[in-house]
Amino acid sequence: ARGAAVSEEHAHSSTGPLPVGPLPVGPLTFGPADALRISRLSGSELNDVGRATQRLARQAEARTALLAYRIGESIADDMLVVAATRPHTHHAVDKAAIAEISLQLGISRSLARRYAILGAHLTDLPHTTLAFLDGHIRLSRIEIVADQLSILDPSLRAQAEPLALELARRTSADSTLRDQLSELVIALDPDADRCSVATVGPDGQW
C-alpha cells in the first residue's frame, strides 16, 4: 500500500501531470502527427474515430462548463468577503464573475454566462451532471434538460430527471426535446412558473 502511495505521489511530481481521459483514440495520439493519421483513415474506422473524438470534445466541454461556474463562484465568494465594508450589487458581482470566467478561459462573455448558468442549474441535477461528463449528450440538450427542470421543486425535479435524460438521449430535434420536457414539467406541476428568468446562481445569486 505504501509503495502504491509513493508511486502515486511520484506521478504527481514535477516530472509531469498524470495522463487524463481515454486517450489515445484508435490511431490518434493527440500529437502533431494526427493530421497525417486522419488522412489515412477510411471506412468504418473513420466514422468510429470521429464519434470517439466527438465524445472526447463533449467530455472536455462538460468539465470546462463546471470549471467556469466554479471560477465565477470563487470570484463571487471573494467579493462577499469584503461586502461588509464595500457593498456590491448583484449586478456588479455577476459582471465581475462573468468577466473572470471569460478572461481565464479565453472565451466570450456570452459563452461564459452560458456555462455559468448551466453550472448553477447542475448543482441540483446530479444525474444530468454525470450524463454531461460522460459525453454522450451534447451541450445544447443538457442545457434544455437543466433549464426545463430548474423550475420544479427538488422532489419533483428528482422524479423527472431520469425520464428527462432518457428523452435527451433519443434522436430528436432540440425543439422536440424542449416541447417534450415542457409537457413533462406541466404534467408533474401544472402551476410551474415557466416565466422564471434564468440566473447565474441556483438561488438567484452566486
Side-chain angles (χ1 to χ4, degrees), residues 78-187:
D78 289 345
M79 293 181 72
L80 290 174
V81 169
V82 298
T85 56
R86 289 186 297 161
H88 300 289
T89 65
H90 173 63
H91 175 72
V93 173
D94 177 72
K95 184 176 181 180
I98 296 302
E100 185 68 11
I101 294 169
S102 175
L103 174 66
Q104 295 301 329
L105 300 183
I107 59 178
S108 68
R109 294 196 180 196
S110 61
L111 182 56
R113 176 172 293 279
R114 185 180 175 187
Y115 283 161
I117 291 173
L118 177 59
H121 286 330
L122 289 177
T123 61
D124 295 320
L125 294 167
H127 299 295
T128 305
T129 300
L130 290 177
F132 191 29
L133 291 170
D134 186 56
H136 281 301
I137 303 177
R138 66 178 179 267
L139 173 66
S140 63
R141 294 174 79 79
I142 292 291
E143 287 180 304
I144 292 170
V145 170
D147 176 61
Q148 293 289 317
L149 298 190
S150 67
I151 65 170
L152 292 172
D153 65 46
S155 61
L156 291 177
R157 190 183 303 127
Q159 181 180 340
E161 191 176 10
L163 179 55
L165 289 173
E166 180 182 333
L167 292 171
R169 291 187 179 97
R170 295 178 183 176
T171 302
S172 65
D174 285 358
S175 58
T176 299
L177 175 63
R178 184 175 294 278
D179 290 342
Q180 290 172 331
L181 294 182
S182 180
E183 292 174 3
L184 174 62
V185 167
I186 291 172

Side-chain angles (χ1 to χ4, degrees), residues 44-106:
S44 61
E45 186 181 33
L46 185 62
N47 298 330
D48 291 344
V49 173
R51 284 190 293 268
T53 54
Q54 182 185 55
R55 183 183 176 195
L56 281 176
R58 290 173 179 169
Q59 290 174 332
E61 185 166 41
R63 284 152 178 83
T64 301
L66 297 181
L67 287 165
Y69 174 68
R70 282 292 296 119
I71 290 170
E73 188 177 46
S74 177
I75 290 296
D77 288 346
D78 289 345
M79 293 181 72
L80 290 174
V81 169
V82 298
T85 56
R86 289 186 297 161
H88 300 289
T89 65
H90 173 63
H91 175 72
V93 173
D94 177 72
K95 184 176 181 180
I98 296 302
E100 185 68 11
I101 294 169
S102 175
L103 174 66
Q104 295 301 329
L105 300 183

